[in-house]
Amino acid sequence: DSGVTQTPKHLITATGQRVTLRCSPRSGDLSVYWYQQSLDQGLQFLIQYYNGEERAKGNILERFSAQQFPDLHSELNLSSLELGDSALYFCASSGQGVGEQYFGPGTRLTVT
Amino acid sequence: LAKTTQPISMDSYEGQEVNITCSHNNIATNDYITWYQQFPSQGPRFIIQGYKTKVTNEVASLFIPADRKSSTLSLPRVSLSDTAVYYCLVVRNTGTASKLTFGTGTRLQVTL
């Protein structure tokens, strides 16, 4: 158990809809990262927040947005969903060091 | 930002030493290298991190040559449970922003 929690575990929705994925980092970690992993694909970095502020942006689509709240939990919002958005979405957290990240169990999103 | 390349797959017998190399030709001075292990449908798990020369912990060693254009993860005496995908991650943390580039992943298959 990494200490990072993600909800929901599974999500099935239709094209065009909007969903929100939630992540709670490890106690004391200020950074939260979001990643997308499509079937049998590698990890695509989406975005990082540090203590409520956006720190780094990767290959995140304009239809996607994220935020980190004062209690440090984070939400990833995916809108106008397309079939290609079906994937595992991972959240990770870290302390001062960016390299040593602790990953949650992921949310499996299926868009039908 | 450093582009990373790894072999797609490797096979090994149980009890052997396995070396997985990651190429990161245009790594910058501020970048450091981290390796992760991922089992199917689980979040990646941190293995080891280094900047140069050699780093060793209880599960692996990381070798980084002087030019830092590649790194090698060494797993001593692998077991069946080491069958997983291994990712290298090049991280640049400039204080106000981070850049993260995951490698393509190496699928390690360990057999008896």
Side-chain angles (χ1 to χ4, degrees):
Chain A
D1 184 0
S2 67
V4 177
T5 60
Q6 290 186 247
T7 56
K9 193 167 184 177
H10 300 278
L11 197 51
I12 301 174
T13 189
T15 54
Q17 295 298 305
R18 172 189 169 96
V19 296
T20 297
L21 312 184
R22 183 188 168 101
C23 168
S24 292
R26 285 190 325 159
S27 177
D29 284 354
L30 298 179
S31 278
V32 168
Y33 313 77
W34 286 98
Y35 295 88
Q36 179 193 57
Q37 187 172 42
S38 301
L39 189 63
D40 290 333
Q41 298 292 311
L43 290 149
Q44 295 293 321
F45 167 64
L46 297 178
I47 198 164
Q48 176 202 359
Y49 278 82
Y50 178 81
N51 202 20
E53 294 188 2
E54 183 182 303
R55 175 65 68 92
K57 202 175 247 192
N59 299 322
I60 188 167
L61 300 172
E62 286 191 10
R63 301 183 286 109
F64 296 179
S65 65
Q67 55 184 325
Q68 186 179 28
F69 295 87
D71 67 353
L72 301 177
H73 90 271
S74 178
E75 292 181 355
L76 178 68
N77 301 296
L78 315 176
S79 62
S80 302
L81 285 167
E82 303 174 359
L83 295 178
D85 297 327
S86 295
L88 262 171
Y89 290 85
F90 289 107
C91 165
S93 73
S94 72
Q96 291 291 334
V98 177
E100 188 170 349
Q101 299 177 26
Y102 294 85
F103 282 76
T107 292
R108 183 174 294 280
L109 173 66
T110 303
V111 182
T112 62
Chain B
L1 190 62
K3 177 179 164 62
T4 58
T5 306
Q6 302 175 231
I8 294 175
S9 63
M10 296 181 69
D11 295 312
S12 177
Y13 292 108
E14 197 172 42
Q16 289 188 326
E17 177 185 76
V18 170
N19 295 308
I20 305 173
T21 297
C22 179
S23 171
H24 26 80
N25 287 326
N26 54 337
I27 192 167
T29 305
N30 290 335
D31 296 348
Y32 50 100
I33 298 113
T34 312
W35 284 81
Y36 286 81
Q37 175 192 56
Q38 186 180 29
F39 298 110
S41 297
Q42 293 185 25
R45 184 177 70 96
F46 172 81
I47 302 173
I48 198 166
Q49 178 174 280
Y51 183 79
K52 61 180 179 181
T53 62
K54 176 182 174 182
V55 179
T56 297
N57 62 21
E58 62 275 10
V59 298
S61 294
L62 177 60
F63 299 92
I64 305 170
D67 66 6
R68 303 200 328 121
K69 292 187 176 183
S70 67
S71 59
T72 299
L73 174 72
S74 181
L75 305 173
R77 301 180 58 81
V78 294
S79 64
L80 296 177
S81 62
D82 292 317
T83 295
V85 179
Y86 292 82
Y87 291 95
C88 72
L89 168 65
V90 175
V91 179
R92 182 176 304 168
N93 188 6
T94 62
T96 56
S98 307
K99 297 290 185 184
L100 302 100
T101 306
F102 265 96
T104 49
T106 298
R107 189 175 300 274
L108 172 66
Q109 180 69 52
V110 181
T111 56
L112 291 173

